Amino acid sequence: MNYTTIQYAVQSHVARLTLNRPERLNAFNAAMHAEVCDALARVAADGARVLVLTGAGRGFCAGQDLGERQPAADGRRADLGDSIERHYKPLVLALRGLPVPTIAAVNGVAAGAGASLALACDLAVAARSAAFIQAFSRIGLVPDSGATWFLPRLAGPARAAGLAMLGERLDAATAADWGLIWRCVDDAEFPAAVDRLAADLASGPTRALLRTREAMDAAWSRPLASQLDLERDFQRELGYTDDYAEGVAAFAARRAPRFTGR
Ligand code: LHQ
């Protein structure tokens, strides 16, 4: 597929997907949905061991392109549920189910579904000048693309309700303080910080990192005893991996481990 709304490249096991409609703050149109979907499906086969999702220009992503959501000339209104069913739900599930860890590199404003995508990544790191806006209530909608799932879990229900109902701009430093994101980094240090984080995860024990995501997601809906069972099962599986053998060998030899993701 020829990409016109995103850039996608894999280098040193790092896949970098850049939303690339800067004049619209990287808002999602139908073409971008198709292209992101295509790129996500390629990530593992391309040898990547981490995905970095970021935006071109001064924004990260402003959510749905509202230009595509004008009522038709005959006044008929669009079925937004259809848009979620066909585009946003598969996108969030693809991202959360990606077989490599994911980083949202939030270079600028993340609004609406754009903020949801950042929260759906395993780690979100934001430039200090970036901001998060639950823009949905401003246009009479409910938070979507997983925002009602991620937001209360990350920020707690009181802050989630305030953010969602008021639609206020949350600066990156406060987002980090509130636990929405992993870190807020000064703008000048942001590109290098993202590269370091990506290199770190790309050389990590990939299967263990994926099972970590899976276990933590599962924990929200399971009693402790059942969660302990899940940890046992995952640990049993990981105990047979090359990465575990390498980790233990490296520890004994007092050297850095060389994980392969196997
Ligand atoms: C945009 C957009 C945009 C088009 C900036 N669309 N052009 C799911 C399912 C189905 C339907 C509905 O939605 C969803 C999920 C959602 O994502 S709903 C939420 C949709 N997003 C929003 O409501 C955010 C709208 N944007 C904004 O509120 C502002 O642009 C923010 C606060 C993000 C940034 O403000 P500024 O920094 O002041 O930039 P700006 O507003 O001047 O935007 C720059 C340009 O980008 C501007 O175009 P122009 O031609 O005037 O330079 C905007 O029109 C355009 N743009 N967001 N979502």
Side-chain angles (χ1 to χ4, degrees), residues 225-241:
S226 138
Q227 189 66 15
L228 290 168
D229 288 347
L230 187 69
E231 291 174 357
R232 175 203 59 212
D233 294 346
F234 284 173
Q235 216 66 302
R236 178 172 287 141
E237 172 199 317
L238 294 167
Y240 292 112
T241 61

Side-chain angles (χ1 to χ4, degrees), residues 21-25 27-28 58 61-67 69 80-81 83-84 88 109-114 133 135-136 138-139 141 144-145:
R21 301 183 69 222
E23 71 290 351
R24 290 279 160 265
L25 300 180
F28 267 85
R58 71 176 178 90
C61 175
Q64 169 64 36
D65 186 326
L66 296 174
R69 289 287 172 269
L80 300 191
S83 163
I84 288 176
Y88 289 95
V109 67
I133 306 176
F136 309 92
R138 293 183 178 186
I139 55 169
L141 295 179
D144 67 20
S145 307

